[in-house]
Amino acid sequence: MTASKRTGTAFIGALVLFCLSFSALANSNMKTVALEKAALRSKPSYLSKTVGTLSYGDQCRAVRKSGDWFEVSLRGKKGWLHKSAFGNRKSILKDIGQGAEVAKNSYKDEVVAAGKGFSPEFEKMYQNQNRNLNYHDVDVMEGYQIAPKFIINFARKGGLAGAAIKGAEK
Amino acid sequence: MKRHAGLMILVFVLASSCAMLDKTLVAVGEATGNRELAKAGADITPRQEYYLGRSISANVLSERPLLKNRLIQGYVNMLGQYLALHSQRPNTFKGYRFAVVEGEEPAAMSAPGGFIFVSEGMLRALRNEEELAAVIAHEIAHIELRHAEDIIKKQKKTGLAMQLLSKAAKDKYKDDVPEELLDWGANGIEKVLNSSFDKNQEMDADAGAVRILTLAGYDPKGMKWALGRVKDSATFLGRHPSNEERVESLLEKLKDAKTPKYRGVRQKRFRLYTQKYL
């Protein structure tokens, strides 16, 4: 092989490697929302203003990172989400019935259904067979919601200055 | 049809051994021409974790209903939400929820998805807010570390096998057979309720609690003090390693712990809620 051919091969190799790396980077910027409702924050802090909401299974693009927080954008909405708000794309899409497999193969529909496991449908069946279970109190418990300003107030009155509330608006 | 009958036997025989379950799913996946099947149960999604947690919580609350005291519930929820913000997993599918339940026995428990319970007896047994924060932080750490997930994963794989069995039965009898699905789900709930976390998981949750407490500004020694207030096995249904062992494993982590300010202010607040309002 001549020197010019070797240079050409090396160049093509480097180009392929660059394209592969770029593609991997682009994919790693896509995030799947793993929360029922994810509040987009104006700053990388739980106690900053909510500027929008994303839903379970939404695919958003991370445009910036600050510590454990990502600034994401989707359909004109932009804001910050903590890394724990994201999950495994494939399993979440299966969970909400948007996996590519669903459309392709009806038998796989059943597998997807099996994969859903614990779901509102399962809960209904389980509840019907176990009438003594106290789902009422579970619902009451789920109603215990605390606004961020009360959490900040609770911390300040107790002389607590934890990392998560530093810089929180008064 | 014969293929499905054979499949049913295969599922029954192989699924009867938990250790063989992965191989079973691979075998069944191959038999049905669906290799993805064996992998299908690998992930527990946040949504599934939440619905499982709801059903486990419904079991716990049928034995120990919510304490009807809005002030106490508000106090414990504010404390819990504040601590959760300092965990490595501040988000769950629908967020953390905390509850004080009836019962004089000191106990605390978490369910997947972010449901955390503390008994009225536990509040009475503890002496200050640092100790209550430690008990709650320990339960948050179990959720953060997804300790219930292993139990569920095993159960879910069984569920897939059972669903295939249901599919085979449906083809054979032209009838919908959802009971198998219900059975495995019910078994999963029972297993989580009756399974205790192992010693390492408990120690990891203690270490996680120390980290959460420190970040939140509480005195992490609260973990050691709380263990001194209650007997061993202070969960509702599980069994923990002895408190003595747990304290011993914490000593190294607490060696350099600083005593934060305003502990007296928090102690006063704790007493107000637990002595005046409880």
Side-chain angles (χ1 to χ4, degrees), chain A residues 4-169:
Chain A
S4 64
K5 270 188 181 174
R6 274 202 300 272
T7 310
T9 310
F11 176 74
I12 290 166
L15 192 67
V16 168
L17 202 64
F18 173 77
C19 290
L20 286 174
S21 312
F22 184 77
S23 159
L25 195 67
N27 281 336
S28 72
N29 285 346
M30 291 308 291
K31 304 281 178 193
T32 305
V33 175
L35 313 182
E36 188 190 47
K37 295 283 171 207
L40 290 168
R41 303 286 174 182
S42 61
K43 293 177 193 169
S45 159
Y46 275 104
L47 304 170
S48 67
K49 263 188 235 166
T50 301
V51 292
T53 309
L54 297 183
S55 301
Y56 190 56
D58 275 350
Q59 310 276 307
C60 52
R61 183 173 295 280
V63 293
R64 202 151 46 124
K65 190 175 185 287
S66 171
D68 289 339
W69 290 77
F70 289 88
E71 190 179 23
V72 297
S73 74
L74 178 69
R75 297 186 295 264
K77 292 178 186 173
K78 203 170 181 185
W80 292 87
L81 284 176
H82 187 266
K83 66 177 182 183
S84 61
F86 307 116
N88 180 285
R89 177 181 173 273
K90 201 174 168 188
S91 58
I92 290 174
L93 290 186
K94 268 185 189 174
D95 207 12
I96 58 173
Q98 286 184 10
E101 304 91 312
V102 177
K104 280 185 196 164
N105 187 328
S106 64
Y107 177 70
K108 283 183 183 172
D109 282 359
E110 296 215 18
V111 175
V112 171
K116 278 184 179 176
F118 298 100
S119 61
E121 296 77 31
F122 166 80
E123 184 178 300
K124 204 174 165 188
M125 287 196 292
Y126 184 64
Q127 197 171 359
N128 282 339
Q129 290 213 346
N130 300 277
R131 294 282 185 184
N132 59 326
L133 296 182
N134 193 352
Y135 281 96
H136 171 266
D137 275 6
V138 179
D139 294 336
V140 172
M141 188 177 170
E142 285 203 48
Y144 297 154
Q145 302 212 20
I146 309 286
K149 66 176 181 183
F150 291 113
I151 300 174
I152 298 168
N153 194 36
F154 173 85
R156 291 201 171 130
K157 280 191 169 172
L160 297 161
I165 65 155
K166 274 186 184 156
E169 294 144 25

Side-chain angles (χ1 to χ4, degrees), chain B residues 238-255:
Chain B
R239 291 161 300 281
H240 282 180
S242 77
N243 288 354
E244 203 179 322
E245 279 177 279
R246 291 172 68 188
V247 168
E248 201 169 309
S249 82
L250 281 172
L251 291 178
E252 181 65 22
K253 293 177 187 74
L254 296 175
K255 199 175 64 182

Side-chain angles (χ1 to χ4, degrees), chain A residues 46 95 107 115 135 142 154 158, chain B residues 45 48 54-55 91 164 269:
Chain A
Y46 275 104
D95 207 12
Y107 177 70
Y135 281 96
E142 285 203 48
F154 173 85
Chain B
T45 68
Q48 291 161 8
R54 269 183 62 85
S55 287
N91 289 298
L164 270 173
R269 172 163 72 183

Side-chain angles (χ1 to χ4, degrees), chain B residues 23-69:
Chain B
K23 286 180 185 173
T24 307
L25 289 172
V26 172
V28 172
E30 285 175 356
T32 55
N34 187 343
R35 285 170 188 268
E36 285 177 46
L37 178 65
K39 296 176 188 170
D43 295 312
I44 309 293
T45 68
R47 187 171 172 268
Q48 291 161 8
E49 189 190 8
Y50 163 73
Y51 279 104
L52 171 69
R54 269 183 62 85
S55 287
I56 290 170
S57 301
N59 276 275
V60 171
L61 291 164
S62 64
E63 296 292 321
R64 296 162 187 257
L66 291 177
L67 187 73
K68 289 175 184 59
N69 185 327

